[in-house]
């Protein structure tokens, strides 16, 4: 039984891997497992209406009532599920993947993606060809619901809107032709910001800079920031849950640093809180959190694991190094628009520019790379790597992470889908970082070569 769920839902190329049969099979099983009242939403991809129709038909056929939320960002659907007390929902999206992809993310009633255990139950039912359709008089009802305004109000209620308005910030937003276009500019504008946008038409072919924001493809955003003197820039991914922040000098800020800043700000008034993050995040976060009497709960890489841990532990803050802040009082899931509003709040409250606030975070230079690694050698690579390293601390929570007392660390983590191993690292300076990554690329490469010879 091959796994259908990847790290964020079921995804694939439309009409090849991700067919209407697969989407409807997953939807029917999800409705059966989660309950009767199900929300459905979709992103702006050209194939999303087709997949949405398959999902809705499947849910109705197994007796679920469908609350169709229309086109919206993933975190808006998640918020509405929790806010309206629904049993769960399905978001039709392939997040940041190229336009030929689509997918379904299955959401639980608590506003986060379902757990691995629930995914497995859904897969099991799917492979058994269950559930069966209900008799005609038990078929579900469909209603439309437009909840974007309620969501925007909810985001605004989490920050001191008056304090932000007083500052009259200029904010530049690159929504990447994705659905963050429906929320981020509106929230910034209601916070009294002058808003400048790029790629702000929803277009499922993602003609602007593609659906994944990276420090390299946000050139147009940086140009606008320069021309307008913007205080902050934000680039969003295709379904609006992840974002990359640019400071007022045009420098892209790693997710670790914004997470550290938000955690520090929150814990000023809520000391002792638990912060959830993945093992690829900077150890510097721990310094910030412990200084405020709290603790960091480390998880394997993957936003769903972080969300589930937040729910389980009641943790108010979570986040990933790739730019997904999770603010529990609002939603235990990544939300790019909420992250933007929070950063504006922290800037206003502390009355200082973003670059200064970020520079205070005790987080070094971070980078990542990858090397080819045959699937059959991945396990052996992880087992042998600590033997050729001189690291006093070895952590095997996810791949293998080697740490030194001066704050340097390297993590090697094989891809679950491709014949490669990813290398993540942190060091005090950019120079030391490059040297560290090169050293471990070479070490891993040599190990793989010797394993190949032996094999
Ligand atoms: Mg996404």
């Amino acid at each position: 039984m091959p796994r259908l769920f990847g790290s964020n839902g079921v995804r694939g190329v439309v009409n090849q891997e991700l067919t209407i049969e697969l989407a409807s099979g997953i939807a029917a099983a999800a409705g059966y497992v989660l309950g009767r009242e199900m929300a459905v939403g979709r992103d702006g991809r050209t194939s999303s209406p087709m997949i949405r129709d398959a999902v809705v038909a499947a849910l109705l056929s197994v007796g679920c009532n469908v609350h169709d939320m229309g086109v919206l960002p993933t975190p808006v659907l998640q918020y509405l599920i929790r806010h309206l007390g629904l049993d769960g929902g399905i978001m039709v999206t392939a997040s940041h993947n190229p336009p030929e992809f689509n997918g379904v993310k299955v959401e639980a009633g608590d506003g986060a993606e379902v757990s691995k255990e629930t995914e497995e139950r859904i897969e099991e039912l799917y492979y058994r060809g269950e559930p069966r359709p209900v008799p005609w008089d038990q078929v579900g009802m469909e209603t439309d619901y437009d909840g974007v305004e309620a969501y925007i109000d909810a985001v605004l209620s989490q920050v001191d809107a008056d304090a932000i308005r007083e500052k009259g910030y200029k904010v530049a937003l690159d929504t990447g032709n994705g659905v963050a276009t429906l929320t981020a500019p509106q929230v910034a504008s209601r916070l009294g910001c002058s808003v400048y946008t790029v790629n702000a038409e929803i277009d499922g072919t993602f003609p602007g800079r593609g659906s994944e924001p990276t420090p390299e493809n946000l050139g147009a955003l940086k140009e606008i920031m320069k021309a307008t003197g913007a205080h902050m820039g934000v680039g969003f991914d295709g379904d609006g849950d992840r974002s990359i922040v640019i400071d007022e000098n045009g420098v892209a800020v790693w997710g670790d640093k914004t997470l550290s800043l938000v955690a520090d700000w929150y814990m000023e008034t809520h000391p002792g809180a638990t912060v959830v993050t993945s093992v690829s995040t900077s150890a510097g976060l721990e310094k910030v959190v412990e200084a405020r009497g709290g603790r960091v709960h480390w998880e394997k890489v993957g936003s769903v694991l972080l969300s589930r841990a937040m729910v389980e532990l009641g943790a108010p803050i979570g986040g990933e190094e790739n730019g997904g802040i999770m603010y529990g009082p609002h939603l235990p899931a990544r939300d790019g628009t909420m992250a933007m509003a929070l950063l504006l709040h922290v800037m206003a409250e502390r009355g200082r520019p973003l670059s200064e606030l970020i520079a205070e975070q005790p987080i070094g230079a971070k980078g990542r790379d990858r090397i080819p690694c045959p699937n059959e050698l991945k396990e052996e690579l992880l087992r042998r790597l600590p033997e050729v390293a001189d690291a006093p601390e070895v952590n095997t929570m996810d791949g293998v992470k080697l740490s030194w007392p001066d704050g340097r660390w390297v993590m090697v983590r094989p891809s679950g889908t491709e014949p490669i191993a990813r290398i993540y690292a942190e060091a005090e300076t950019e120079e030391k970082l490059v040297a560290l990554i090169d050293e471990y690329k070479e070490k891993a490469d040599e190990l793989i070569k010797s394993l190949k010879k032996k094999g």
Side-chain angles (χ1 to χ4, degrees):
M1 242 178 40
R3 293 280 337 243
L4 299 170
F5 282 85
S7 49
N8 286 98
V10 180
R11 276 188 216 168
V13 174
V14 170
N15 285 351
Q16 291 180 27
E17 297 122 359
L18 200 275
T19 60
I20 53 175
E21 290 81 8
L22 175 61
S24 66
I26 295 285
Y32 184 82
V33 168
L34 292 172
R36 193 176 166 85
E37 304 299 326
M38 293 287 286
V40 174
R42 64 178 169 102
D43 68 10
R45 288 168 190 269
T46 49
S47 60
S48 288
M50 174 182 85
I51 303 295
R52 187 272 322 266
D53 282 357
V55 164
V56 170
L59 288 169
L60 296 172
S61 80
V62 297
C64 292
N65 293 324
V66 171
H67 305 259
D68 185 1
M69 308 290 184
V71 179
L72 37 60
T74 298
V76 181
L77 185 79
Q78 293 172 318
Y79 169 78
L80 291 172
I81 290 169
R82 193 165 79 159
H83 176 66
L84 299 172
L86 304 179
D87 296 315
I90 293 183
M91 180 71 189
V92 176
T93 182
S95 186
H96 60 272
N97 286 148
E100 63 272 25
F101 283 76
N102 214 330
V104 291
K105 286 183 178 177
V106 181
E107 311 292 350
D110 54 25
E113 279 178 66
V114 293
S115 66
K116 293 286 152 207
E117 295 72 37
T118 306
E119 286 177 357
E120 281 163 14
R121 280 181 65 200
I122 291 170
E123 286 174 345
E124 211 183 295
L125 280 171
Y126 172 83
Y127 281 116
R128 286 211 309 257
E130 290 179 22
R132 310 305 306 166
V134 295
W136 72 271
D137 55 349
Q138 289 167 33
V139 168
M141 306 261 285
E142 188 190 359
T143 49
D144 292 340
Y145 188 88
D146 184 355
V148 174
E149 274 306 311
Y151 163 86
I152 289 173
D153 288 342
V155 170
L156 294 173
S157 77
Q158 296 290 350
V159 295
D160 186 345
D162 289 335
I164 300 170
R165 277 188 205 114
E166 241 169 62
K167 296 287 179 184
Y169 288 127
K170 295 178 189 170
V171 175
L173 305 174
D174 181 345
T175 46
N177 303 110
V179 283
T181 298
L182 299 172
T183 55
Q186 291 76 356
V187 165
S189 149
R190 289 199 31 204
L191 291 172
C193 301
S194 305
V195 183
Y196 308 92
T197 59
V198 58
N199 300 319
E201 297 82 39
I202 296 178
D203 184 331
T205 65
F206 302 112
R209 46 99 175 136
S211 51
E212 171 149 41
T214 66
E216 293 76 35
N217 68 13
L218 295 175
L221 178 65
K222 290 180 191 168
E223 285 299 316
I224 288 185
M225 290 185 69
K226 214 171 172 183
T228 59
H231 298 90
M232 179 169 82
V234 190
F236 297 85
D237 84 332
D239 67 331
D241 56 356
R242 214 149 48 79
S243 58
I244 287 195
V245 175
I246 312 282
D247 74 15
E248 77 281 5
N249 301 320
V251 177
V253 181
W254 276 95
D256 303 49
K257 295 184 178 173
T258 48
L259 172 61
S260 169
L261 175 60
V262 167
D264 183 55
W265 158 76
Y266 180 82
M267 292 176 75
E268 228 180 293
T269 49
H270 301 79
T274 298
V275 175
V276 175
T277 195
S278 51
V279 69
S280 57
T281 292
S282 170
L285 177 67
E286 208 152 49
K287 286 186 204 156
V288 170
V289 171
E290 285 174 359
R292 298 247 185 233
R295 75 173 185 103
V296 174
H297 173 84
W298 299 95
E299 274 289 339
K300 286 186 179 188
V301 175
S303 68
V304 179
L305 297 173
L306 300 188
S307 285
R308 299 297 355 150
M310 280 180 75
V311 171
E312 207 170 289
L313 301 168
I317 306 278
E320 308 176 284
E321 40 104 40
N322 68 359
I325 288 180
M326 302 171 173
Y327 187 57
H330 168 67
L331 193 69
R334 302 181 296 192
D335 185 340
T337 298
M338 185 72 248
M340 173 194 76
L342 280 177
L343 289 172
L344 287 170
H345 175 102
V346 179
M347 284 160 63
E349 193 181 287
R350 296 196 170 168
R352 295 170 59 204
L354 187 58
S355 67
E356 282 184 20
L357 295 171
I358 290 298
E360 285 169 3
Q361 305 312 310
I363 290 172
K366 287 196 67 189
R368 55 165 82 183
D369 211 327
R370 45 156 75 185
I371 52 163
C373 178
N375 289 333
E376 64 276 12
L377 298 182
K378 284 174 176 171
E379 222 171 282
E380 195 62 9
L381 171 69
L382 296 185
R383 214 175 56 78
R384 298 282 299 278
L385 197 62
E387 294 169 16
V388 298
D390 57 348
E393 203 186 315
V394 178
N395 177 327
T396 55
M397 177 183 268
D398 198 358
V400 59
K401 183 178 180 180
L402 309 163
S403 307
W404 291 267
D406 62 357
R408 277 180 307 143
W409 57 263
V410 183
M411 179 169 138
V412 178
R413 182 173 169 265
S415 159
T417 49
E418 299 168 80
I420 57 165
R422 295 181 206 284
I423 300 182
Y424 306 72
E426 177 176 0
E428 205 185 329
T429 62
E430 201 62 45
E431 258 186 339
K432 286 182 185 169
L433 173 72
V434 172
L436 186 63
I437 291 181
D438 284 349
E439 183 189 344
Y440 276 83
K441 267 176 86 172
E442 211 179 298
K443 280 197 161 118
D445 231 12
E446 272 170 22
L447 258 179
I448 292 167
K449 271 188 205 136
S450 75
L451 289 170
K452 269 185 187 162
K453 266 187 211 152
K454 265 172 66 187

